[in-house]
Amino acid sequence: MKKLYVLIFIVLLVLLVSTTSYQKTGLEHYYFIIALGLDKLENDMLKISVQLSTSNNEDSGSSGSSQASSSKVYSVEAHSINEGITILNNYLSKKLNLSHCSAIIFSEELARDGIKKHFNTLSNDVELRQSALLIVSSTSSYDFLKSVSSSEETFSSRMYDHYTSSIDYTGFSYKSTLGDFFKALHNESIDPICLYVANSNNIMQTSGLAIFKSDKMVENISVKN
């Protein structure tokens, strides 16, 4: 009986030490992705771009998920999303984490080619929230992220919410999320849709909806002011 109590004590001690260690140092080893972009390349290759939060207090040990932060964009060419993330993990000084990802951006070229394979990879990722916004960009997703990142403004990691509040200046708003798109993609009576954002004078603005037939974008419905 004494041996059993000793064993239980050792197990609890190990769990306590592991949990405490993670809380103190775990977050310091991650870069939190604000947004993820996907572009089509030749030979079935992908360009995977990530917009990373760079906290103003990074040197003091705060996590990259700070509400007030600047950002940087990194990209890599790979055969799949998982391969691209692995390459970036090996290149960057910290491991990438998708738990704070606010938006996923597909280029229009990739969306028209079909996104089911890539979408399934994303929807199976346990870190990625179902509330992440889905956007189709008229230009490359890399250009989209660079445009946002180079705005020279200190912004919140929730900045992508402004695309869904476009009703203030266009009379139109629609919130398309990873979870909503997944439900529509697996429902024969519903066609998936998501926000369509166009490049206007190097500024990315909501201009309507991207309409899908199954996993392929077939047209976009623009909203005129």
Side-chain angles (χ1 to χ4, degrees):
M1 183 63 71
K2 289 183 178 180
K3 291 183 178 180
L4 178 60
Y5 286 141
V6 171
L7 179 60
I8 294 175
F9 175 77
I10 292 174
V11 172
L12 291 176
L13 182 61
V14 170
L15 290 175
L16 179 61
V17 171
S18 299
T19 303
T20 304
S21 176
Y22 173 79
Q23 290 176 340
K24 287 184 178 180
T25 63
L27 295 179
E28 298 175 4
H29 299 290
Y30 289 97
Y31 277 128
F32 289 90
I33 296 176
I34 300 173
L36 173 70
L38 301 173
D39 294 308
K40 179 184 177 182
L41 298 175
E42 295 181 354
N43 300 320
D44 293 325
M45 295 284 285
L46 279 177
K47 183 174 184 177
I48 298 102
S49 303
V50 292
Q51 182 184 12
L52 304 183
S53 175
T54 306
S55 172
N56 292 331
N57 298 318
E58 190 175 36
D59 293 336
S60 65
S62 64
S63 76
S65 61
S66 172
Q67 291 301 305
S69 59
S70 58
S71 68
K72 293 182 180 179
V73 177
Y74 297 90
S75 65
V76 67
E77 297 180 6
H79 290 93
S80 67
I81 297 173
N82 290 336
E83 180 183 327
I85 295 297
T86 299
I87 294 173
L88 286 168
N89 278 335
N90 291 330
Y91 169 76
L92 297 170
S93 60
K94 300 179 184 180
K95 185 178 179 181
L96 296 178
N97 187 289
L98 281 161
S99 62
H100 291 268
C101 183
S102 298
I104 302 162
I105 298 91
F106 294 99
S107 67
E108 182 172 350
E109 182 182 15
L110 180 59
R112 289 186 179 277
D113 187 59
I115 63 172
K116 188 171 185 178
K117 177 175 67 174
H118 315 305
F119 184 83
N120 286 340
T121 298
L122 294 170
S123 61
N124 288 328
D125 194 305
V126 295
E127 288 182 349
L128 197 57
R129 294 176 295 181
Q130 295 297 299
S131 58
L133 190 65
L134 247 61
I135 296 173
V136 170
S137 171
S138 63
T139 57
S140 71
S141 67
Y142 176 78
D143 289 343
F144 180 104
L145 295 180
K146 289 293 289 185
S147 177
V148 172
S149 184
S150 63
S151 62
E152 297 183 356
E153 295 182 6
T154 299
F155 55 88
S156 163
S157 61
R158 295 194 297 265
M159 64 163 295
Y160 285 94
D161 288 344
H162 89 271
Y163 286 112
T164 63
S165 60
S166 59
I167 192 171
D168 294 336
Y169 51 90
T170 65
F172 170 82
S173 180
Y174 179 81
K175 189 166 186 177
S176 55
T177 66
L178 181 70
D180 292 336
F181 196 95
F182 179 86
K183 293 176 183 177
L185 191 61
H186 293 82
N187 189 328
E188 295 181 357
S189 62
I190 302 175
D191 288 328
I193 56 178
C194 64
L195 282 181
Y196 183 82
V197 176
N199 189 331
S200 176
N201 297 322
N202 294 321
I203 298 176
M204 307 305 295
Q205 295 182 343
T206 304
S207 65
L209 290 175
I211 310 299
F212 285 76
K213 189 67 176 179
S214 184
D215 70 314
K216 295 183 178 180
M217 177 182 169
V218 293
E219 64 177 316
N220 69 287
I221 300 177
S222 297
V223 176
K224 304 296 184 181
N225 289 332

